[in-house]
Amino acid sequence: MTVQSPQQSATAAEASVLGRDGETERILRCVTREPGTPQTLLVLGEEGIGRTALLRRVRELAAGEGVSVLSAQGWAGDPQRTRACLHQLLAPPVPAETAALPAASQRVLTAVLREDDGPDAGALRAALTALLDRLAAARPVLVCVDDADLCDRATLETLFAAARLLAGRPLTVLLAARHETALPGLPPGTETLSLGPLDDASAAALLDRQPAPPAGRHRLEILAEAGGNPLALVELSRGAPGPAGAVRHAPAEPVFGVRLDAVPAGTRRALLYAAAAGPGETVATVMAALDTGDLAVWAPAEAAGLVSLVEDRLVFRHPLARSAAYLRHPSGERQQAHRNLAEVAVLPEARARHLAAATVGADAFVADALETSAWRHGDAVQAARALEQAARLSPRRPEHARRLAEALTAAQAVGDPGWVRDLHGRLLRESAEPEFVCVAAGALASVLCHEAAQREAFELLAAASEYFPLIGAPLALALVGQAAGVAAQSGLPEHRAALPTLLERAHQADGGGRGHRGALGFFGQVDAAGVQRGDGGGRGQHLGGAGSLGRPDVPGAWRADGGGRGYLGAAGPLGQLDTAGTRRALAALVAVVVRPETATGELRGLGRPPRVPLGGHDAPAGRPAAAAVAHHADEADLDLGQSRLADDRLRTARAFGLRGWSVLGLVDNLLAVGRFTEAQTVIQNAMTEATVLRLPRLRADLETQALTLRALRGTLPAEPWFTPAVWRAVCLDENRATHARLLRAHGLAAMARDDWEDAWRRLRELFTADGSPLHPFLSPRSIAELAVTAQRTGRPAEALPILERVRTDQGDRPSTRMTLLLHHATAVLGPDAEAEEHFQLALVNHAANRWPWESGHVRLNYAHWLRRCRRTLEARGQLTTVLETAERLGAGPLAAAARRELRASGAAPAPESGGPLEELTAQQRQIVQLVASGLSNREIGERLFLSPRTVGSHLYKVYPKLGISSRHQLRDLVQDR
């Protein structure tokens, strides 16, 4: 069997099943003999990847379904013991089942259990075949062999022969191994399932299940080093962080120590240098540090399975191999390796990293080198780590505090709460300077907002505003922008009421301010066109994502003094916050958060006419605030190109702490304009990041957006739809933007199920008893949906006062989108004699088509009204447009409603041109199309927000309807069509 750590806990092994739902579902489909599945399946994976845990889980599930399970495990410690695995397989069933077998078979199997050498291969093959055939006659059989590459050859040959003879019987052979080449004579049709690394979210969940889970920077380093390998996650979590990304701990996997001891001393030294160099370093660099040009030095390590040469890179085959190669050497040898690597390093950041790893005490030169190169690649994680090291090596207290502040700002960009809190506490213990106090407040407020603590976040920023006269206008303005974001997320009246006071304090601040680089160097490279997006619903509607420092947009705006220390003066990007244009943008931002209905006027006041994308006339540092105002004016959809570009840059830079302020707004915009597939991709990626960083409020918001998307598409899974642990951490009273999204998502889901009572109840909660909006921006955007549910449930009188309140709040010049929604709601709830006028007013402006689902919803209800008025021809024209729009969007419920209305209007049904595919449901047809494109059940599930097992269940029902039995036949059928 695989050599395992004696300290490895069963809990860790069981937890490694995390993230294996797709693989489990595929194996179970084989066990249940679903059409098109193989009889023999081989699971391959490296050490510690979770093969054993996966097989154990499959055995448990199969046994629970009434399957007969025979299992065995290969063992490298006793290779001379012939038929050892066969002995394990036969032990459970033989006493109860052999009595009914022929006498010859009974004697053979009994001899195997006694470990006699008598039975020959032919007799044994016949006896095992007879036993398996008898078992399969009663119920399905699963033969499960773990570490099959270490199993004795006699057992494998006998088992494979029996499988070939019993083809077509309900028998499944499941094998797990590291190397396929070690298995002789696999049965025909055997398929291979390769176990890759865990996805990021599952790896983080496994790490957090450990007895003493790491936090902050150390946690992120372990996740990166382990590369998704479950065993590496468990073992690395036991140590403390070491230099160059390595982790100090006693390598608990003996196999790597044994392999290292077996290679020559020169190769062990070379492996030390390769481990110290870190992933991605070229072989040429490592060879130069070793002062040798002989590639033969790596041959023993390659033969031992420790490393592989891939083009010009040296790759460790297992994360723990790298750790062992580094830590089996004394600290002095490790330091010398880093010194030698620093001498030959080409990249400044690599040279600085190796110098830092070789330095014990303070060193101003190394600290300067780390700071200067920290943001060179625009990677927030690398920058925060380098700046934290620079602070550690700074000999002077002022430099130490300043670099801590910059590290904190970079960690804020990363978004890890543990890392931010650690640096926040260290900075405040180090210095009480007003600027650093404000930097610390902004960073902590950012993670508090992402976690769900809006009251605490706003209180921190309000308290920091007392220092505004001492810190300078640029930093003060950035903090006000962040406070506006918190207020928009909380939706609390007291927060909105306090914003004008904070802005006034920022305007009265000193115009200078010392400033420091922090995240500014990063943003100068990441975005020259407006990184942060705004949306006013707690969806990225402020400067700061930039947190405590704002966000610059000009590359290379910082400079270095003679000591190599970068700094920003008032002329840099931070200083650009203190311009007339940016002040106006921030004032407009505060105004629209306080009173969202003023957005259209505020946008005009910024010199940007409606329906014109943000352009070069906006000061770079003012673009995020201007984008926030544009979103409140329902104009931000015109800036989707810039929003997507900014989101991609933040994702590439691993800056989810900043991306978290903007990504929800991007998704809301994508859903509103009907870009469902793109919205799904963004949701999935952001959900992974929020899960890894443990940001429950953002996860909750993303879950509501995912449900909204499912409801619009008509692909609702079975409840529960949400993660209970996430929602327990979110107080909805101080996260009213999240609460509003949740209510609308539930309302749309109920509408998709035609449960109008539940839809009314959910949407009604978007407004208080007196008709006030729960959230000043998000609640009014659901007024048309509320009106429709009120009309369907016979409650128009209850909804009319809410409609009047929303109309009054929107003022004389509502946005184009709100005009559409208000006329739609009035047509549904108002006097029938005035309904047609309002339906036509909702649709007369062609700009309303920018929101295709909402305009389609208007046309659907207009057609319903026309049909009641016996104007069926006009109704059909509207319904045809609705159906075309819904099919283009993939909006299943809207399309189904349009078809029902068309039938009710007497329209002829569409010709049956699709053959048997037309007999399938809409969701089944969607799954069929994705299968035909080559996607696996897991990939389909991720796209449609379904579990892989649900996808498999749909296919199980689809195959008989289509008269096929395999995915290949399905692909041919779709292509022929």
Side-chain angles (χ1 to χ4, degrees):
M1 63 181 175
T2 304
V3 181
Q4 295 183 350
S5 162
Q7 293 86 15
Q8 183 179 357
S9 65
T11 300
E14 293 167 4
S16 63
V17 181
L18 280 166
R20 301 298 188 198
D21 290 345
E23 292 87 345
T24 302
E25 185 268 343
R26 180 180 174 185
I27 295 172
L28 289 176
R29 284 193 290 114
C30 296
V31 173
T32 56
R33 307 299 294 133
E34 182 178 312
T37 57
Q39 183 182 41
T40 304
L41 185 65
L42 173 60
V43 179
L44 296 177
E46 64 182 5
E47 292 96 340
I49 202 65
R51 301 187 313 272
T52 299
L54 176 62
L55 264 62
R56 182 187 305 116
R57 179 61 176 160
V58 168
R59 292 198 303 268
E60 293 170 353
L61 293 172
E65 295 294 328
V67 176
S68 295
V69 179
L70 311 181
S71 61
Q73 185 170 33
W75 185 27
D78 194 5
Q80 303 302 320
R81 189 180 171 197
T82 60
R83 298 168 181 162
C85 286
L86 186 58
H87 185 279
Q88 297 177 56
L89 288 174
L90 295 177
V94 165
E97 301 293 340
T98 55
L101 295 177
S105 296
Q106 291 186 43
R107 287 193 298 272
V108 169
L109 296 178
T110 302
V112 171
L113 288 173
R114 293 174 179 171
E115 301 188 26
D116 295 341
D117 295 332
D120 61 36
L124 184 57
R125 184 162 51 246
L128 180 61
T129 302
L131 174 64
L132 293 176
D133 186 48
R134 175 170 177 76
L135 291 172
R139 50 182 177 167
V141 177
L142 170 64
V143 179
C144 191
V145 181
D146 193 10
D147 291 317
D149 50 335
L150 304 178
C151 189
D152 60 279
R153 189 181 184 93
T155 295
L156 293 179
E157 291 177 344
T158 302
L159 177 59
F160 295 164
R164 286 191 292 270
L165 291 171
L166 295 174
R169 301 286 282 163
L171 168 69
T172 303
V173 178
L174 177 62
L175 311 168
R178 280 181 292 174
H179 309 292
E180 183 176 8
T181 56
L183 302 178
L186 285 168
T190 299
E191 292 187 8
T192 299
L193 173 61
S194 296
L195 284 189
L198 295 177
D199 60 73
D200 291 343
S202 299
L206 172 57
L207 189 58
D208 293 338
R209 287 188 182 186
Q210 299 314 300
R217 173 178 59 82
H218 181 30
R219 180 173 177 272
L220 296 182
E221 287 177 345
I222 289 176
L223 287 171
E225 186 174 356
N229 183 282
L231 179 61
L233 287 163
V234 172
E235 296 301 329
L236 295 175
S237 68
R238 296 175 177 169
V247 174
R248 290 194 184 100
H249 76 295
E253 178 61 66
V255 65
F256 298 109
V258 171
R259 294 181 194 174
L260 285 165
D261 290 341
V263 302
T267 300
R268 288 199 298 273
R269 179 172 177 267
L271 290 172
L272 165 64
Y273 277 64
E281 189 58 86
T282 64
V283 176
T285 300
V286 178
M287 299 289 287
L290 286 166
D291 195 23
T292 180
D294 187 5
L295 286 174
V297 70
W298 305 109
E302 288 186 280
L306 293 168
V307 296
S308 296
L309 281 171
V310 181
E311 296 181 349
D312 63 339
R313 298 291 191 273
L314 191 75
V315 180
F316 278 91
R317 298 285 297 274
H318 196 282
L320 291 180
R322 176 178 179 243
S323 179
Y326 185 82
L327 294 167
R328 289 178 74 83
H329 292 265
S331 59
E333 294 181 17
R334 298 199 298 264
Q335 283 182 307
Q336 186 59 50
H338 284 295
R339 291 191 192 98
N340 293 344
L341 286 164
E343 291 174 359
V344 300
V346 176
L347 300 176
E349 62 273 22
R351 182 165 55 252
R353 176 170 59 85
H354 289 303
L355 288 173
T359 302
V360 178
D363 189 307
F365 175 80
V366 177
D368 285 341
L370 284 167
E371 183 181 13
T372 301
S373 62
W375 290 103
R376 189 170 181 271
H377 288 291
D379 185 288
V381 175
Q382 291 180 4
R385 184 186 297 122
L387 290 166
E388 186 176 0
Q389 282 189 307
R392 175 179 64 85
L393 297 174
S394 299
R396 296 175 57 245
R397 189 182 181 96
E399 293 299 294
H400 177 76
R402 181 180 59 78
R403 285 166 175 153
L404 266 182
E406 295 183 355
L408 173 57
T409 309
Q412 175 194 346
V414 174
D416 185 272
W419 201 352
V420 168
R421 285 188 169 91
D422 175 53
L423 292 171
H424 172 272
R426 288 161 58 185
L427 177 60
L428 292 185
R429 288 192 297 271
E430 183 69 23
S431 175
E433 287 192 30
E435 182 185 31
F436 294 149
V437 171
C438 289
V439 167
L444 185 56
S446 181
V447 297
L448 287 170
C449 180
H450 293 339
E451 288 179 318
Q454 309 308 325
R455 285 191 171 92
E456 187 178 353
F458 197 88
E459 288 169 4
L460 269 174
L461 295 168
S465 71
E466 301 292 339
Y467 293 96
F468 283 1
L470 304 175
I471 66 173
L475 181 54
L477 289 169
L479 289 172
V480 173
Q482 189 173 6
V486 174
Q489 165 59 28
S490 76
L492 294 172
E494 59 268 30
H495 288 175
R496 301 199 305 274
L499 282 177
T501 301
L502 298 185
L503 182 61
E504 182 62 27
R505 289 178 182 173
H507 287 331
Q508 295 172 356
D510 175 20
R514 180 182 52 174
H516 60 85
R517 185 171 75 239
L520 298 176
F522 160 63
F523 278 110
Q525 298 178 44
V526 167
D527 183 35
V531 166
Q532 294 303 317
R533 308 301 302 159
D535 76 347
R539 299 174 288 185
Q541 57 281 8
H542 69 308
L543 290 176
S548 51
L549 294 181
R551 52 153 296 294
D553 298 82
V554 181
W558 65 276
R559 60 188 186 276
D561 61 17
R565 174 172 68 88
Y567 68 95
L568 279 169
L574 185 60
Q576 291 180 10
L577 288 170
D578 192 23
T579 65
T582 302
R583 283 175 178 264
R584 285 196 302 271
L586 272 172
L589 171 61
V590 171
V592 299
V593 171
V594 176
R595 295 184 60 205
E597 65 275 9
T598 65
T600 301
E602 293 291 347
L603 188 63
R604 290 192 177 93
L606 294 178
R608 177 190 169 192
R611 294 180 293 281
V612 176
L614 290 173
H617 63 276
D618 291 304
R623 286 189 184 126
V629 178
H631 187 88
H632 277 82
D634 292 310
E635 297 285 346
D637 60 297
L638 295 175
D639 295 311
L640 275 177
Q642 290 187 12
S643 297
R644 287 193 291 259
L645 177 62
D647 189 70
D648 286 342
R649 287 173 171 173
L650 288 173
R651 179 170 48 83
T652 302
R654 296 194 289 175
F656 192 71
L658 302 178
R659 190 182 176 215
W661 293 100
S662 60
V663 70
L664 301 177
L666 174 59
V667 172
D668 282 342
N669 284 335
L670 291 170
L671 292 174
V673 301
R675 297 178 181 269
F676 292 169
T677 301
E678 187 176 351
Q680 179 178 325
T681 300
V682 176
I683 289 171
Q684 290 172 340
N685 177 270
M687 182 70 78
T688 296
E689 295 194 54
T691 302
V692 169
L693 293 169
R694 296 183 291 194
L695 300 172
R697 196 270 298 172
L698 284 174
R699 285 187 63 186
D701 274 307
L702 290 163
E703 286 189 352
T704 65
Q705 291 178 325
L707 178 59
T708 298
L709 177 57
R710 294 185 187 109
L712 294 174
R713 281 179 159 173
T715 57
L716 289 170
E719 295 190 68
W721 295 322
F722 301 118
T723 307
V726 170
W727 288 88
R728 283 195 296 268
V730 179
C731 174
L732 293 178
D733 180 58
E734 61 180 294
N735 288 275
R736 296 187 180 185
T738 305
H739 194 187
R741 286 197 190 91
L742 173 66
L743 292 171
R744 181 173 186 254
H746 270 298
L748 290 174
M751 290 170 65
R753 299 188 313 242
D754 289 329
D755 187 347
W756 296 101
E757 286 290 340
D758 186 49
W760 160 259
R761 182 171 61 86
R762 302 289 189 172
L763 295 172
R764 178 62 183 83
E765 291 183 51
L766 285 166
F767 301 87
T768 62
D770 65 356
S772 301
L774 172 69
H775 189 275
F777 178 78
L778 293 176
S779 293
R781 268 71 189 167
S782 295
I783 187 61
E785 294 147 13
L786 177 71
V788 171
T789 58
Q791 189 267 337
R792 290 292 192 111
T793 58
R795 296 184 176 91
E798 187 175 345
L800 270 172
I802 300 174
L803 172 59
E804 292 304 318
R805 171 67 181 268
V806 172
R807 181 184 289 112
T808 301
D809 288 346
Q810 292 302 309
D812 296 333
R813 304 187 67 178
S815 68
T816 302
R817 183 185 182 192
M818 281 307 304
T819 299
L820 165 76
L821 298 175
L822 287 170
H823 280 302
H824 185 188
T826 304
V828 171
L829 296 177
D832 199 58
E834 301 174 5
E836 184 167 23
E837 178 186 1
H838 286 289
F839 277 127
Q840 291 178 349
L841 287 172
L843 298 170
V844 68
N845 189 341
H846 292 296
N849 293 324
R850 290 155 54 193
W851 300 279
W853 188 88
E854 289 169 352
S855 61
H857 201 198
V858 177
R859 292 183 186 278
L860 176 68
N861 287 297
Y862 185 25
H864 180 73
W865 182 87
L866 288 169
R867 185 173 61 80
R868 286 194 295 108
C869 295
R870 301 184 183 278
R871 295 160 60 181
T872 54
L873 289 179
E874 294 174 73
R876 290 174 195 171
Q878 295 292 336
L879 291 169
T880 300
T881 302
V882 174
L883 186 57
E884 291 173 353
T885 300
E887 290 180 340
R888 174 173 55 83
L889 296 177
L894 184 61
R899 292 190 186 98
R900 286 196 301 267
E901 284 292 324
L902 278 169
R903 287 193 296 270
S905 69
E912 296 289 338
S913 60
L917 290 177
E918 293 301 322
E919 300 178 10
L920 307 180
T921 66
Q923 188 171 73
Q924 287 174 341
R925 285 197 299 273
Q926 195 173 16
I927 291 173
V928 163
Q929 293 293 339
L930 294 173
V931 169
S933 69
L935 297 183
S936 67
N937 287 10
R938 182 178 183 181
E939 292 168 330
I940 295 170
E942 289 173 350
R943 289 200 178 190
L944 301 183
F945 294 101
L946 301 172
S947 72
R949 181 171 292 185
T950 300
V951 176
S953 176
H954 278 299
L955 290 175
Y956 186 75
K957 297 173 184 177
V958 162
Y959 285 165
K961 291 182 180 180
L962 300 181
I964 59 175
S965 61
S966 71
R967 298 171 92 91
H968 297 294
Q969 292 174 315
L970 179 60
R971 188 177 301 114
D972 294 340
L973 177 66
V974 172
Q975 289 174 350
D976 291 343
R977 179 174 180 271

